[in-house]
Amino acid sequence: MNSVLQLLDKFSIDYQLIEHPSSISCEESEAYLSDDIPGIQLRHLFLRDRKKHSFFLFAYNAQRKVCLKKMGQMLGVKGLTMASIDDLKQMLNVDSGAVSLCAMINDTEHKVIPLLDEELRTVTHYCGVPNVTTATLILSNQAWQQFFKSD
C-alpha cells in the first residue's frame, strides 16, 4: 500500500483512505464503509487466456455479474478464465483479495492488459483496495486517470 500512497502523494492526487480490518471480498469490506461514500465499489478479476499468453485485469462495478465466456468472445480471447494465485503474485505482486487497478504499478514489464467496464466512464468516484486487504481507497474518476498517467 505504501507505494500506492507514495505515488498518489508524489503527484498530488487527492484521495480518501479508509483503514479497516482485513477483508478479502467486496462484500466483507462493504461492512466497514459508510453509505455516504461517493461512487461505486470496484471488483477486479485477474484473467488469462487458455495458453497463458495474455493476462488481463478487469475492473467493474461490484454489484454486477460478469460472464467470462461472453467477455472472452467480445475480446476475441479463447478460453478466458481466472488466472492462478501464483500468476497474480508473480505478475502483479499482490495477494488474492488485494488485487486492484493499483496493482498495475507492479507490472513493470507491462504484461497485464487493464480492462475497465464501459460503465466506469461515467462514474464520479471509485472505491477499491490499494494492494492490501486492510484499507479502501477512494478516488475520483479524474484522480484515477491522473494516477494511471503518472505510473
Side-chain angles (χ1 to χ4, degrees), residues 103-121:
M104 293 300 295
I105 66 172
N106 298 329
D107 180 26
T108 56
E109 296 180 27
H110 304 289
K111 291 184 176 181
V112 179
I113 300 167
L115 301 172
L116 285 87
D117 188 59
E118 184 72 27
E119 174 188 9
L120 302 184
R121 292 178 189 229

mmCIF file with all atom_site columns, all heavy atoms in Angstrom, residues 103-121:
data_model
loop_
_atom_site.group_PDB
_atom_site.id
_atom_site.type_symbol
_atom_site.label_atom_id
_atom_site.label_alt_id
_atom_site.label_comp_id
_atom_site.label_asym_id
_atom_site.label_entity_id
_atom_site.label_seq_id
_atom_site.pdbx_PDB_ins_code
_atom_site.Cartn_x
_atom_site.Cartn_y
_atom_site.Cartn_z
_atom_site.occupancy
_atom_site.B_iso_or_equiv
_atom_site.pdbx_formal_charge
_atom_site.auth_seq_id
_atom_site.auth_comp_id
_atom_site.auth_asym_id
_atom_site.auth_atom_id
_atom_site.pdbx_PDB_model_num
ATOM 1   N N   . ALA A 1 103 ? -2.589  -2.316  -8.526  1.00 0.00 ? 103 ALA A N   1
ATOM 2   C CA  . ALA A 1 103 ? -1.543  -3.324  -8.712  1.00 0.00 ? 103 ALA A CA  1
ATOM 3   C C   . ALA A 1 103 ? -0.824  -3.166  -10.045 1.00 0.00 ? 103 ALA A C   1
ATOM 4   O O   . ALA A 1 103 ? 0.270   -3.706  -10.229 1.00 0.00 ? 103 ALA A O   1
ATOM 5   C CB  . ALA A 1 103 ? -2.127  -4.727  -8.588  1.00 0.00 ? 103 ALA A CB  1
ATOM 6   N N   . MET A 1 104 ? -1.399  -2.411  -10.948 1.00 0.00 ? 104 MET A N   1
ATOM 7   C CA  . MET A 1 104 ? -0.750  -2.211  -12.240 1.00 0.00 ? 104 MET A CA  1
ATOM 8   C C   . MET A 1 104 ? 0.600   -1.515  -12.095 1.00 0.00 ? 104 MET A C   1
ATOM 9   O O   . MET A 1 104 ? 1.450   -1.658  -12.962 1.00 0.00 ? 104 MET A O   1
ATOM 10  C CB  . MET A 1 104 ? -1.672  -1.404  -13.178 1.00 0.00 ? 104 MET A CB  1
ATOM 11  C CG  . MET A 1 104 ? -2.938  -2.163  -13.594 1.00 0.00 ? 104 MET A CG  1
ATOM 12  S SD  . MET A 1 104 ? -2.629  -3.708  -14.482 1.00 0.00 ? 104 MET A SD  1
ATOM 13  C CE  . MET A 1 104 ? -1.852  -3.106  -15.970 1.00 0.00 ? 104 MET A CE  1
ATOM 14  N N   . ILE A 1 105 ? 0.836   -0.814  -10.991 1.00 0.00 ? 105 ILE A N   1
ATOM 15  C CA  . ILE A 1 105 ? 2.152   -0.178  -10.803 1.00 0.00 ? 105 ILE A CA  1
ATOM 16  C C   . ILE A 1 105 ? 3.243   -1.222  -10.617 1.00 0.00 ? 105 ILE A C   1
ATOM 17  O O   . ILE A 1 105 ? 4.418   -0.924  -10.814 1.00 0.00 ? 105 ILE A O   1
ATOM 18  C CB  . ILE A 1 105 ? 2.162   0.833   -9.637  1.00 0.00 ? 105 ILE A CB  1
ATOM 19  C CG1 . ILE A 1 105 ? 1.942   0.156   -8.292  1.00 0.00 ? 105 ILE A CG1 1
ATOM 20  C CG2 . ILE A 1 105 ? 1.167   1.944   -9.864  1.00 0.00 ? 105 ILE A CG2 1
ATOM 21  C CD1 . ILE A 1 105 ? 2.131   1.075   -7.096  1.00 0.00 ? 105 ILE A CD1 1
ATOM 22  N N   . ASN A 1 106 ? 2.867   -2.441  -10.269 1.00 0.00 ? 106 ASN A N   1
ATOM 23  C CA  . ASN A 1 106 ? 3.838   -3.526  -10.094 1.00 0.00 ? 106 ASN A CA  1
ATOM 24  C C   . ASN A 1 106 ? 4.129   -4.275  -11.393 1.00 0.00 ? 106 ASN A C   1
ATOM 25  O O   . ASN A 1 106 ? 5.025   -5.107  -11.437 1.00 0.00 ? 106 ASN A O   1
ATOM 26  C CB  . ASN A 1 106 ? 3.345   -4.514  -9.039  1.00 0.00 ? 106 ASN A CB  1
ATOM 27  C CG  . ASN A 1 106 ? 3.188   -3.866  -7.688  1.00 0.00 ? 106 ASN A CG  1
ATOM 28  O OD1 . ASN A 1 106 ? 3.909   -2.944  -7.347  1.00 0.00 ? 106 ASN A OD1 1
ATOM 29  N ND2 . ASN A 1 106 ? 2.229   -4.339  -6.919  1.00 0.00 ? 106 ASN A ND2 1
ATOM 30  N N   . ASP A 1 107 ? 3.382   -3.997  -12.441 1.00 0.00 ? 107 ASP A N   1
ATOM 31  C CA  . ASP A 1 107 ? 3.570   -4.660  -13.728 1.00 0.00 ? 107 ASP A CA  1
ATOM 32  C C   . ASP A 1 107 ? 4.583   -3.876  -14.556 1.00 0.00 ? 107 ASP A C   1
ATOM 33  O O   . ASP A 1 107 ? 4.249   -3.229  -15.544 1.00 0.00 ? 107 ASP A O   1
ATOM 34  C CB  . ASP A 1 107 ? 2.229   -4.772  -14.459 1.00 0.00 ? 107 ASP A CB  1
ATOM 35  C CG  . ASP A 1 107 ? 2.351   -5.458  -15.805 1.00 0.00 ? 107 ASP A CG  1
ATOM 36  O OD1 . ASP A 1 107 ? 3.292   -6.266  -15.995 1.00 0.00 ? 107 ASP A OD1 1
ATOM 37  O OD2 . ASP A 1 107 ? 1.503   -5.180  -16.686 1.00 0.00 ? 107 ASP A OD2 1
ATOM 38  N N   . THR A 1 108 ? 5.830   -3.928  -14.137 1.00 0.00 ? 108 THR A N   1
ATOM 39  C CA  . THR A 1 108 ? 6.877   -3.134  -14.783 1.00 0.00 ? 108 THR A CA  1
ATOM 40  C C   . THR A 1 108 ? 7.183   -3.587  -16.206 1.00 0.00 ? 108 THR A C   1
ATOM 41  O O   . THR A 1 108 ? 7.694   -2.818  -17.007 1.00 0.00 ? 108 THR A O   1
ATOM 42  C CB  . THR A 1 108 ? 8.176   -3.166  -13.950 1.00 0.00 ? 108 THR A CB  1
ATOM 43  O OG1 . THR A 1 108 ? 8.567   -4.526  -13.764 1.00 0.00 ? 108 THR A OG1 1
ATOM 44  C CG2 . THR A 1 108 ? 7.959   -2.499  -12.597 1.00 0.00 ? 108 THR A CG2 1
ATOM 45  N N   . GLU A 1 109 ? 6.843   -4.829  -16.526 1.00 0.00 ? 109 GLU A N   1
ATOM 46  C CA  . GLU A 1 109 ? 7.078   -5.343  -17.877 1.00 0.00 ? 109 GLU A CA  1
ATOM 47  C C   . GLU A 1 109 ? 5.859   -5.157  -18.780 1.00 0.00 ? 109 GLU A C   1
ATOM 48  O O   . GLU A 1 109 ? 5.894   -5.535  -19.946 1.00 0.00 ? 109 GLU A O   1
ATOM 49  C CB  . GLU A 1 109 ? 7.477   -6.813  -17.813 1.00 0.00 ? 109 GLU A CB  1
ATOM 50  C CG  . GLU A 1 109 ? 8.801   -7.040  -17.097 1.00 0.00 ? 109 GLU A CG  1
ATOM 51  C CD  . GLU A 1 109 ? 9.192   -8.500  -17.044 1.00 0.00 ? 109 GLU A CD  1
ATOM 52  O OE1 . GLU A 1 109 ? 8.771   -9.273  -17.934 1.00 0.00 ? 109 GLU A OE1 1
ATOM 53  O OE2 . GLU A 1 109 ? 9.909   -8.872  -16.103 1.00 0.00 ? 109 GLU A OE2 1
ATOM 54  N N   . HIS A 1 110 ? 4.799   -4.590  -18.247 1.00 0.00 ? 110 HIS A N   1
ATOM 55  C CA  . HIS A 1 110 ? 3.567   -4.306  -18.996 1.00 0.00 ? 110 HIS A CA  1
ATOM 56  C C   . HIS A 1 110 ? 3.010   -5.543  -19.696 1.00 0.00 ? 110 HIS A C   1
ATOM 57  O O   . HIS A 1 110 ? 2.656   -5.501  -20.868 1.00 0.00 ? 110 HIS A O   1
ATOM 58  C CB  . HIS A 1 110 ? 3.794   -3.165  -19.984 1.00 0.00 ? 110 HIS A CB  1
ATOM 59  C CG  . HIS A 1 110 ? 4.304   -1.927  -19.321 1.00 0.00 ? 110 HIS A CG  1
ATOM 60  N ND1 . HIS A 1 110 ? 3.522   -1.137  -18.502 1.00 0.00 ? 110 HIS A ND1 1
ATOM 61  C CD2 . HIS A 1 110 ? 5.536   -1.358  -19.304 1.00 0.00 ? 110 HIS A CD2 1
ATOM 62  C CE1 . HIS A 1 110 ? 4.246   -0.139  -18.036 1.00 0.00 ? 110 HIS A CE1 1
ATOM 63  N NE2 . HIS A 1 110 ? 5.469   -0.239  -18.491 1.00 0.00 ? 110 HIS A NE2 1
ATOM 64  N N   . LYS A 1 111 ? 2.929   -6.627  -18.954 1.00 0.00 ? 111 LYS A N   1
ATOM 65  C CA  . LYS A 1 111 ? 2.395   -7.881  -19.484 1.00 0.00 ? 111 LYS A CA  1
ATOM 66  C C   . LYS A 1 111 ? 0.893   -8.017  -19.248 1.00 0.00 ? 111 LYS A C   1
ATOM 67  O O   . LYS A 1 111 ? 0.246   -8.848  -19.868 1.00 0.00 ? 111 LYS A O   1
ATOM 68  C CB  . LYS A 1 111 ? 3.110   -9.073  -18.849 1.00 0.00 ? 111 LYS A CB  1
ATOM 69  C CG  . LYS A 1 111 ? 4.551   -9.211  -19.281 1.00 0.00 ? 111 LYS A CG  1
ATOM 70  C CD  . LYS A 1 111 ? 5.167   -10.454 -18.689 1.00 0.00 ? 111 LYS A CD  1
ATOM 71  C CE  . LYS A 1 111 ? 6.587   -10.656 -19.186 1.00 0.00 ? 111 LYS A CE  1
ATOM 72  N NZ  . LYS A 1 111 ? 7.194   -11.879 -18.641 1.00 0.00 ? 111 LYS A NZ  1
ATOM 73  N N   . VAL A 1 112 ? 0.348   -7.217  -18.340 1.00 0.00 ? 112 VAL A N   1
ATOM 74  C CA  . VAL A 1 112 ? -1.062  -7.303  -17.996 1.00 0.00 ? 112 VAL A CA  1
ATOM 75  C C   . VAL A 1 112 ? -1.820  -6.165  -18.676 1.00 0.00 ? 112 VAL A C   1
ATOM 76  O O   . VAL A 1 112 ? -1.401  -5.007  -18.623 1.00 0.00 ? 112 VAL A O   1
ATOM 77  C CB  . VAL A 1 112 ? -1.266  -7.231  -16.469 1.00 0.00 ? 112 VAL A CB  1
ATOM 78  C CG1 . VAL A 1 112 ? -2.742  -7.299  -16.116 1.00 0.00 ? 112 VAL A CG1 1
ATOM 79  C CG2 . VAL A 1 112 ? -0.488  -8.349  -15.780 1.00 0.00 ? 112 VAL A CG2 1
ATOM 80  N N   . ILE A 1 113 ? -2.915  -6.520  -19.310 1.00 0.00 ? 113 ILE A N   1
ATOM 81  C CA  . ILE A 1 113 ? -3.739  -5.535  -20.004 1.00 0.00 ? 113 ILE A CA  1
ATOM 82  C C   . ILE A 1 113 ? -4.871  -5.110  -19.074 1.00 0.00 ? 113 ILE A C   1
ATOM 83  O O   . ILE A 1 113 ? -5.685  -5.944  -18.674 1.00 0.00 ? 113 ILE A O   1
ATOM 84  C CB  . ILE A 1 113 ? -4.322  -6.132  -21.301 1.00 0.00 ? 113 ILE A CB  1
ATOM 85  C CG1 . ILE A 1 113 ? -3.192  -6.567  -22.237 1.00 0.00 ? 113 ILE A CG1 1
ATOM 86  C CG2 . ILE A 1 113 ? -5.261  -5.137  -21.986 1.00 0.00 ? 113 ILE A CG2 1
ATOM 87  C CD1 . ILE A 1 113 ? -3.632  -7.442  -23.393 1.00 0.00 ? 113 ILE A CD1 1
ATOM 88  N N   . PRO A 1 114 ? -4.931  -3.820  -18.705 1.00 0.00 ? 114 PRO A N   1
ATOM 89  C CA  . PRO A 1 114 ? -6.036  -3.372  -17.858 1.00 0.00 ? 114 PRO A CA  1
ATOM 90  C C   . PRO A 1 114 ? -7.301  -3.193  -18.693 1.00 0.00 ? 114 PRO A C   1
ATOM 91  O O   . PRO A 1 114 ? -7.249  -2.668  -19.804 1.00 0.00 ? 114 PRO A O   1
ATOM 92  C CB  . PRO A 1 114 ? -5.547  -2.036  -17.310 1.00 0.00 ? 114 PRO A CB  1
ATOM 93  C CG  . PRO A 1 114 ? -4.578  -1.536  -18.324 1.00 0.00 ? 114 PRO A CG  1
ATOM 94  C CD  . PRO A 1 114 ? -3.969  -2.760  -18.975 1.00 0.00 ? 114 PRO A CD  1
ATOM 95  N N   . LEU A 1 115 ? -8.408  -3.663  -18.157 1.00 0.00 ? 115 LEU A N   1
ATOM 96  C CA  . LEU A 1 115 ? -9.703  -3.523  -18.822 1.00 0.00 ? 115 LEU A CA  1
ATOM 97  C C   . LEU A 1 115 ? -10.678 -2.882  -17.842 1.00 0.00 ? 115 LEU A C   1
ATOM 98  O O   . LEU A 1 115 ? -10.789 -3.332  -16.705 1.00 0.00 ? 115 LEU A O   1
ATOM 99  C CB  . LEU A 1 115 ? -10.251 -4.889  -19.243 1.00 0.00 ? 115 LEU A CB  1
ATOM 100 C CG  . LEU A 1 115 ? -9.418  -5.724  -20.197 1.00 0.00 ? 115 LEU A CG  1
ATOM 101 C CD1 . LEU A 1 115 ? -10.032 -7.113  -20.340 1.00 0.00 ? 115 LEU A CD1 1
ATOM 102 C CD2 . LEU A 1 115 ? -9.335  -5.047  -21.558 1.00 0.00 ? 115 LEU A CD2 1
ATOM 103 N N   . LEU A 1 116 ? -11.373 -1.865  -18.281 1.00 0.00 ? 116 LEU A N   1
ATOM 104 C CA  . LEU A 1 116 ? -12.383 -1.221  -17.453 1.00 0.00 ? 116 LEU A CA  1
ATOM 105 C C   . LEU A 1 116 ? -13.739 -1.369  -18.112 1.00 0.00 ? 116 LEU A C   1
ATOM 106 O O   . LEU A 1 116 ? -13.873 -1.120  -19.318 1.00 0.00 ? 116 LEU A O   1
ATOM 107 C CB  . LEU A 1 116 ? -12.067 0.263   -17.263 1.00 0.00 ? 116 LEU A CB  1
ATOM 108 C CG  . LEU A 1 116 ? -10.945 0.553   -16.287 1.00 0.00 ? 116 LEU A CG  1
ATOM 109 C CD1 . LEU A 1 116 ? -9.618  0.511   -16.989 1.00 0.00 ? 116 LEU A CD1 1
ATOM 110 C CD2 . LEU A 1 116 ? -11.167 1.862   -15.607 1.00 0.00 ? 116 LEU A CD2 1
ATOM 111 N N   . ASP A 1 117 ? -14.714 -1.749  -17.324 1.00 0.00 ? 117 ASP A N   1
ATOM 112 C CA  . ASP A 1 117 ? -16.064 -1.867  -17.827 1.00 0.00 ? 117 ASP A CA  1
ATOM 113 C C   . ASP A 1 117 ? -16.529 -0.504  -18.338 1.00 0.00 ? 117 ASP A C   1
ATOM 114 O O   . ASP A 1 117 ? -16.193 0.542   -17.768 1.00 0.00 ? 117 ASP A O   1
ATOM 115 C CB  . ASP A 1 117 ? -16.987 -2.358  -16.706 1.00 0.00 ? 117 ASP A CB  1
ATOM 116 C CG  . ASP A 1 117 ? -18.367 -2.683  -17.214 1.00 0.00 ? 117 ASP A CG  1
ATOM 117 O OD1 . ASP A 1 117 ? -18.489 -3.549  -18.097 1.00 0.00 ? 117 ASP A OD1 1
ATOM 118 O OD2 . ASP A 1 117 ? -19.328 -2.062  -16.721 1.00 0.00 ? 117 ASP A OD2 1
ATOM 119 N N   . GLU A 1 118 ? -17.289 -0.511  -19.404 1.00 0.00 ? 118 GLU A N   1
ATOM 120 C CA  . GLU A 1 118 ? -17.786 0.717   -20.032 1.00 0.00 ? 118 GLU A CA  1
ATOM 121 C C   . GLU A 1 118 ? -18.507 1.622   -19.031 1.00 0.00 ? 118 GLU A C   1
ATOM 122 O O   . GLU A 1 118 ? -18.396 2.845   -19.083 1.00 0.00 ? 118 GLU A O   1
ATOM 123 C CB  . GLU A 1 118 ? -18.732 0.342   -21.183 1.00 0.00 ? 118 GLU A CB  1
ATOM 124 C CG  . GLU A 1 118 ? -19.239 1.509   -21.982 1.00 0.00 ? 118 GLU A CG  1
ATOM 125 C CD  . GLU A 1 118 ? -18.178 2.151   -22.865 1.00 0.00 ? 118 GLU A CD  1
ATOM 126 O OE1 . GLU A 1 118 ? -17.222 1.461   -23.261 1.00 0.00 ? 118 GLU A OE1 1
ATOM 127 O OE2 . GLU A 1 118 ? -18.310 3.344   -23.161 1.00 0.00 ? 118 GLU A OE2 1
ATOM 128 N N   . GLU A 1 119 ? -19.238 1.021   -18.108 1.00 0.00 ? 119 GLU A N   1
ATOM 129 C CA  . GLU A 1 119 ? -19.992 1.780   -17.108 1.00 0.00 ? 119 GLU A CA  1
ATOM 130 C C   . GLU A 1 119 ? -19.094 2.716   -16.293 1.00 0.00 ? 119 GLU A C   1
ATOM 131 O O   . GLU A 1 119 ? -19.530 3.773   -15.842 1.00 0.00 ? 119 GLU A O   1
ATOM 132 C CB  . GLU A 1 119 ? -20.708 0.812   -16.157 1.00 0.00 ? 119 GLU A CB  1
ATOM 133 C CG  . GLU A 1 119 ? -21.397 1.464   -14.998 1.00 0.00 ? 119 GLU A CG  1
ATOM 134 C CD  . GLU A 1 119 ? -21.920 0.477   -13.969 1.00 0.00 ? 119 GLU A CD  1
ATOM 135 O OE1 . GLU A 1 119 ? -21.619 -0.728  -14.055 1.00 0.00 ? 119 GLU A OE1 1
ATOM 136 O OE2 . GLU A 1 119 ? -22.624 0.940   -13.070 1.00 0.00 ? 119 GLU A OE2 1
ATOM 137 N N   . LEU A 1 120 ? -17.839 2.367   -16.122 1.00 0.00 ? 120 LEU A N   1
ATOM 138 C CA  . LEU A 1 120 ? -16.945 3.136   -15.262 1.00 0.00 ? 120 LEU A CA  1
ATOM 139 C C   . LEU A 1 120 ? -16.584 4.509   -15.831 1.00 0.00 ? 120 LEU A C   1
ATOM 140 O O   . LEU A 1 120 ? -16.097 5.366   -15.110 1.00 0.00 ? 120 LEU A O   1
ATOM 141 C CB  . LEU A 1 120 ? -15.680 2.344   -14.970 1.00 0.00 ? 120 LEU A CB  1
ATOM 142 C CG  . LEU A 1 120 ? -15.896 0.989   -14.299 1.00 0.00 ? 120 LEU A CG  1
ATOM 143 C CD1 . LEU A 1 120 ? -14.567 0.345   -13.974 1.00 0.00 ? 120 LEU A CD1 1
ATOM 144 C CD2 . LEU A 1 120 ? -16.763 1.102   -13.066 1.00 0.00 ? 120 LEU A CD2 1
ATOM 145 N N   . ARG A 1 121 ? -16.843 4.720   -17.099 1.00 0.00 ? 121 ARG A N   1
ATOM 146 C CA  . ARG A 1 121 ? -16.525 6.019   -17.703 1.00 0.00 ? 121 ARG A CA  1
ATOM 147 C C   . ARG A 1 121 ? -17.377 7.147   -17.138 1.00 0.00 ? 121 ARG A C   1
ATOM 148 O O   . ARG A 1 121 ? -16.960 8.291   -17.145 1.00 0.00 ? 121 ARG A O   1
ATOM 149 C CB  . ARG A 1 121 ? -16.721 5.962   -19.217 1.00 0.00 ? 121 ARG A CB  1
ATOM 150 C CG  . ARG A 1 121 ? -15.724 5.093   -19.905 1.00 0.00 ? 121 ARG A CG  1
ATOM 151 C CD  . ARG A 1 121 ? -16.009 5.048   -21.391 1.00 0.00 ? 121 ARG A CD  1
ATOM 152 N NE  . ARG A 1 121 ? -15.176 4.045   -22.003 1.00 0.00 ? 121 ARG A NE  1
ATOM 153 C CZ  . ARG A 1 121 ? -14.458 4.262   -23.082 1.00 0.00 ? 121 ARG A CZ  1
ATOM 154 N NH1 . ARG A 1 121 ? -14.477 5.429   -23.652 1.00 0.00 ? 121 ARG A NH1 1
ATOM 155 N NH2 . ARG A 1 121 ? -13.724 3.301   -23.584 1.00 0.00 ? 121 ARG A NH2 1
#
